[in-house]
Amino acid sequence: LEFIQIGVPVVATYTQTLGKYFTEKDLLFLRKNKPEEFSRLLYKLYKNSKLQKKLSSHAKKYLVRHNWPAEERKYLGIIKRLS
């Protein structure tokens, strides 16, 4: 999340958890998790500034929706309902 916050596009190994929150529009996913795949995706990012900007922009939208104040409100609402 730190890289997304500062606008750095992310290459990450696909997991069910990441797949629940992010799509291919947000991150470049490693499907095979092999060094060759990683270097190919990094090179793809390096050569394509439009892709860099697109990934950064889409991923930042996640942070706008899921920031601490928003999550705090949800959490405190749950606590209030349980008490």
Side-chain angles (χ1 to χ4, degrees):
L1 292 176
E2 291 83 5
F3 286 114
I4 293 170
Q5 182 65 43
I6 61 172
V8 175
V10 174
V11 176
T13 300
Y14 181 85
T15 63
Q16 286 182 345
T17 302
L18 279 179
K20 180 178 178 182
Y21 298 102
F22 297 100
T23 70
E24 297 282 345
K25 291 181 180 180
D26 305 315
L27 312 175
L28 286 180
F29 285 117
L30 296 167
R31 299 292 180 165
K32 298 175 185 172
N33 205 22
K34 303 267 186 190
E36 301 81 15
E37 180 186 25
F38 183 67
S39 62
R40 181 180 54 79
L41 290 176
L42 283 182
Y43 187 72
K44 179 179 179 178
L45 270 176
Y46 172 74
K47 290 300 231 178
N48 190 336
S49 62
K50 284 184 182 180
L51 179 61
Q52 294 170 25
K53 290 174 186 162
K54 185 183 98 167
L55 289 170
S56 295
S57 172
H58 278 276
K60 273 199 171 191
K61 289 176 186 175
Y62 173 85
L63 293 181
V64 169
R65 292 187 313 271
H66 299 281
N67 57 59
W68 173 242
E71 296 302 313
E72 178 185 32
R73 284 190 298 276
K74 288 185 215 173
Y75 177 73
L76 293 176
I78 292 168
I79 297 299
K80 186 175 181 177
R81 285 193 303 273
L82 293 174
S83 56

